[in-house]
Amino acid sequence: MKTKTFYLQETLDQNLEQLAQTTGRSIDELIQEALELYLAQQTKPMPRSMGIGSSGMKNLAKRSEELLWIEN
């Protein structure tokens, strides 16, 4: 595990200390959990290959069965 140093606004620090006392958990645990939840919620960029095979047909999903049975 790595050590990080950061600054908190006083009200945030007070709220964090109160939550730690109320829950019986350490401040370190609470911060770690909060960061993990935050990072998990961040959107991940789509791969650059997304949409590369676009057919240009806006109704392709609706017509998929019909289009599969067309003889060329």
Side-chain angles (χ1 to χ4, degrees), residues 15-57:
N15 291 340
L16 191 57
E17 286 182 16
Q18 184 178 8
L19 183 61
Q21 288 178 353
T22 304
T23 61
R25 297 173 68 194
S26 71
I27 291 176
D28 292 348
E29 285 180 283
L30 295 174
I31 292 172
Q32 180 114 4
E33 181 180 348
L35 286 172
E36 287 171 357
L37 289 171
Y38 175 79
L39 292 173
Q41 291 175 355
Q42 296 307 300
T43 57
K44 294 183 172 87
M46 297 296 272
R48 291 187 308 167
S49 61
M50 285 299 286
I52 211 167
S54 177
S55 69
M57 297 175 68

